[in-house]
Amino acid sequence: MLTSRGRLYGAGNTALTLPLLACCGLTSAPDGPAAPAARKPAAARTAPYKGMCIGFNGLNRLNPAAEVRAGRFRVPGAAPVRVAAGTRVDWSLDPYGDRTWQLWFHSLEWLGGLIGAYARTGDRAALDTATGIARDWLAGNDRPGRFRADRRQAIAEATKFRLATLVCLREYATGRWLDDAIAEHARWLARPEHYSGPWNHGTDESMILMAAGCAIGRDDLAALGRNRLLAAILDPPDGGLPAVDADGAGNEQSAHYAVYNRSRWRLALRVMRGCGRPAPPEIGRRLALLDEFIAFQTTPGGDLLQIGESFAGRASTLGSSGDGPLEYVATQGRKGTPPADRARVYRAGYVMGRSGWGGRSRAYADEMSYTARFGPGRYAHGQDDHMELTFHALGRDILVPSGHIGYSDKPWRAWLASPEAHSTLVVRGAPFREDAATALTGHRFRHGADTFRLSDTAFTGTSRTRSVLAASDPDALVVLDSVDSTTPGPAAGHPVEQLWHLPAAFTAVPDGTGAVAAAGRLRVHFLRIPLPGTAVLPARVVRGSLSPPQGWIAPAERTMVPAPVVSLPAQGPHVRMLTLIAPVRGTERPSVRTRSLPGGGVHVEAAFSRHALVFETAADGTLRRLR
């Protein structure tokens, strides 16, 4: 099974789905499909299975028929390259030294424009060109073991996409050579060592395998593809996490990929029905719940949160249909149906809630929302974001993830995945274990006061706990963090930092032991509330630092934007930090009064935004709103 440590490839943040379909590198050179049979003339026909062509991932639009017939090929973000003279292609080309370019070159999905032109107009020359290039690939890439490693890997990684293209071609062309090529590709994909497991790569492999088996009458291959799809959700192999669990949560730890997987699974169900192999009702139930899972990862402002490896996106572009929760968030409450709950825990590792979904007391865009991450260690497109908080209030994003730069820049991708790139609690100098799980040890949801607590030992030699009160009226976050050294010696007394990542539109300045951030008329006050036994250290603000990297946001591929980070530090073998994050409009400054409680707790009375927020923290870390 592939894990987050497998190398991932992407090809650009465009309207195409290419960056979402990138494949993982192989560690050994495969044998590859066998050499094709002799060339035979193709003839148009009516395919017995109309659902078998699942598309070309946007390469058909990027490579229209006229361009391909002129011998040119292109991928997103790069200039076209002349690769062919007629139907003779130089398959050894690698003009950019880019394995992603090679992957899509060997996928043959760029023939989709030719196939579509024939389907629309009956242009026989277009079909003959597509057929000729496909046969040229088969003739030029048999026995891939004779090629250099990057070409071998590109051939292997592109197998499922190439198979999908051959199946699409078969709707209009016939020949023993074509059926043999489809069967050989499908047999390679069917081998257990070539199955990626229950995530988006495996979904595509299984769906394409099923479509190919149905197209050529190979019930065994079609059944294997279907069985892998069902197992990915209902009974994942090797103890893996289900692609969509019983709560409706995806397993890739990424909001972006939850949206993508929704589209792929909807397509997979259509392929199943077209192949005469429908899915059990439980899969449909889980996919309906996936819509709610995605809806909770949107903000009242209409943005899709960049949780995990996710590019910035808008809820209005989610491609919803029907009248469910995605239609509701896409239209900001004008159409569709909101989720049944205001706040929810997903066992996959999410606490997500908001003050409401819009109604009489609050417009949709005026609601407050928050999220937090816990659960199993990093997997697939996840990041080291456990205990991270996001926060949207007073019409603006306030705490945000740092985003995703794509797969081509390893150093920045590694930093964006690190705890330092998230609004979480870090222990300096203590090694971080990305496979460590974080537990949700308690939660309570009630209007105006959602509370929950998270705990783990992800930083070696320490235990950390985060208790959160997400308040509305006034909208605010109260965060109680604690770090304890679990072993004496070097781990004891490491510096500890709360890191609060703000959008790039904000400026921020230290304010004693706290900080104030501003964007337009909005001010966000980070107020440190002293607790017994912990020395309060001065706050600092970082923006756009390169050494070490800090204070950056990546909204899109190859795009890094400076953004402020508020750092609230402390140090000691036993650290407790209580922070009130209070957004206000205008120049109002929150008033805060405190008094100590027996056992080390504190009673806090705060006033801002024409509301009072009165809460207590107990010695055991429990947070409770009183008013």
Side-chain angles (χ1 to χ4, degrees):
M1 182 183 301
L2 295 175
T3 71
S4 62
R5 293 172 177 81
R7 182 177 179 183
L8 305 175
Y9 298 91
N13 182 31
T14 70
L16 305 173
T17 58
L18 293 181
L20 302 175
L21 289 175
C23 289
C24 288
L26 301 178
T27 56
S28 60
D31 296 333
R39 185 183 298 260
K40 293 184 179 181
R45 66 178 182 85
T46 300
Y49 167 47
K50 286 293 186 181
M52 63 187 178
C53 184
I54 64 173
F56 307 96
N57 297 303
L59 277 176
N60 54 327
R61 297 189 296 275
L62 202 61
N63 294 272
E67 285 293 291
V68 180
R69 288 168 73 171
R72 290 186 287 269
F73 163 69
R74 67 173 298 190
V75 300
V81 175
R82 184 172 295 279
V83 298
T87 60
R88 297 294 301 275
V89 180
D90 183 354
W91 299 107
S92 68
L93 289 173
D94 181 16
Y96 298 107
D98 183 347
R99 288 191 32 205
T100 297
W101 188 95
Q102 285 186 294
L103 165 67
W104 298 119
F105 183 42
H106 287 277
S107 75
L108 299 187
E109 290 194 315
W110 47 285
L111 303 183
L114 294 166
I115 296 170
Y118 176 75
R120 292 189 305 273
T121 68
D123 181 355
R124 183 68 193 197
L127 183 65
D128 287 346
T129 301
T131 301
I133 291 176
R135 297 191 70 163
D136 189 72
W137 187 93
L138 294 166
N141 291 281
D142 64 322
R143 297 181 293 110
R146 59 197 167 103
F147 303 135
R148 63 183 186 271
D150 57 349
R151 181 172 174 182
R152 294 198 307 269
Q153 290 170 344
I155 290 170
E157 291 162 359
T159 298
K160 61 178 177 283
F161 305 123
R162 191 166 55 249
L163 175 57
T165 302
L166 294 174
V167 170
C168 290
L169 181 62
R170 193 182 183 276
E171 288 203 15
Y172 309 104
T174 58
R176 175 65 180 273
W177 70 271
L178 184 53
D179 282 5
D180 285 349
I182 290 172
E184 190 65 24
H185 277 68
R187 284 195 293 269
W188 187 92
L189 209 58
R191 287 160 58 178
E193 64 268 28
H194 298 153
Y195 174 50
S196 296
W199 63 322
N200 72 81
H201 297 203
T203 300
D204 284 326
E205 293 159 2
S206 303
M207 172 173 55
I208 293 167
L209 181 61
M210 181 172 58
C214 286
I216 61 174
R218 285 288 303 272
D219 287 344
D220 57 332
L221 296 174
L224 177 60
R226 178 181 182 270
N227 290 342
R228 285 179 175 175
L229 285 169
L230 300 187
I233 285 185
L234 303 178
D235 186 22
D238 302 323
L241 300 173
V244 183
D245 69 16
D247 296 333
N251 68 351
E252 299 204 36
Q253 301 178 352
S254 160
H256 188 68
Y257 279 87
V259 173
Y260 172 64
N261 283 322
R262 174 184 183 265
S263 68
R264 301 310 284 176
W265 275 100
R266 287 161 67 92
L267 178 57
L269 292 185
R270 290 199 295 272
V271 173
M272 284 188 193
R273 289 192 294 269
C275 198
R277 293 169 167 83
E282 173 62 13
I283 289 186
R285 186 191 75 85
R286 294 191 183 194
L287 293 180
L289 291 176
L290 177 62
D291 284 5
E292 289 198 352
F293 176 67
I294 296 169
F296 270 105
Q297 295 178 82
T298 65
T299 72
D303 293 313
L304 182 68
L305 288 166
Q306 290 186 260
I307 296 174
E309 292 187 329
S310 300
F311 299 117
R314 295 286 294 171
S316 58
T317 64
L318 292 179
S320 178
S321 62
D323 58 356
L326 287 191
E327 182 72 5
Y328 191 83
V329 299
T331 62
Q332 292 197 291
R334 292 185 295 274
K335 298 179 181 178
T337 306
D341 299 321
R342 180 186 57 78
R344 187 172 296 173
V345 169
Y346 285 90
R347 289 170 290 180
Y350 302 82
V351 183
M352 299 189 284
R354 55 180 65 205
S355 52
W357 294 99
R360 292 180 181 177
S361 61
R362 267 191 171 188
Y364 182 96
D366 293 335
E367 300 281 10
M368 176 275 292
S369 69
Y370 68 89
T371 70
R373 284 277 292 119
F374 68 99
R378 183 179 170 196
Y379 172 77
H381 291 285
Q383 295 176 329
D384 296 325
D385 57 0
H386 282 185
M387 297 192 182
E388 175 184 45
L389 298 175
T390 72
F391 184 39
H392 179 101
L394 304 189
R396 297 197 77 125
D397 291 336
I398 294 174
L399 301 180
V400 294
S402 290
H404 181 41
I405 197 173
Y407 307 103
S408 58
D409 192 321
K410 287 184 177 181
W412 274 119
R413 185 183 175 216
W415 180 79
L416 289 165
S418 71
E420 286 78 6
H422 299 89
S423 295
T424 188
L425 179 68
V426 300
V427 183
R428 297 294 182 195
F432 181 82
R433 298 184 296 112
E434 69 175 24
D435 60 345
T438 299
L440 175 68
T441 59
H443 73 279
R444 181 184 181 187
F445 299 145
R446 61 187 180 95
H447 280 285
D450 292 346
T451 57
F452 53 91
R453 189 187 304 179
L454 310 171
S455 180
D456 67 22
T457 56
F459 284 92
T460 303
T462 68
S463 65
R464 62 175 182 166
T465 300
R466 167 162 283 185
S467 298
V468 179
L469 164 62
S472 57
D473 297 325
D475 298 342
L477 291 181
V478 179
V479 183
L480 174 62
D481 285 333
S482 65
V483 176
D484 292 290
S485 295
T486 57
T487 58
H494 276 270
V496 173
E497 283 184 279
Q498 286 182 340
L499 296 174
W500 304 114
H501 288 259
L502 293 128
F506 277 82
T507 59
V509 294
D511 184 23
T513 61
V516 179
R521 294 188 62 249
L522 184 68
R523 301 288 186 274
V524 182
H525 295 267
F526 295 85
L527 302 168
R528 295 278 297 273
I529 298 171
L531 292 176
T534 296
V536 177
L537 302 177
R540 64 190 185 99
V541 173
V542 182
R543 184 186 189 111
S545 171
L546 293 173
S547 182
Q550 186 55 278
W552 298 90
I553 284 177
E557 185 162 15
R558 303 184 183 96
T559 304
M560 296 296 290
V561 178
V565 176
V566 172
S567 169
L568 305 182
Q571 187 167 357
H574 176 70
V575 172
R576 297 174 71 227
M577 306 169 65
L578 180 60
T579 303
L580 170 62
I581 303 174
V584 300
R585 290 191 175 98
T587 59
E588 173 194 6
R589 187 174 183 88
S591 66
V592 178
R593 293 189 301 172
T594 68
R595 60 181 171 86
S596 298
L597 297 175
V602 64
H603 176 94
V604 181
E605 297 180 4
F608 53 96
S609 298
R610 293 177 294 183
H611 290 85
L613 176 62
V614 181
F615 62 92
E616 289 182 349
T617 173
D620 65 357
T622 300
L623 285 171
R624 181 167 63 106
R625 182 174 183 177
L626 304 179
R627 180 159 55 92

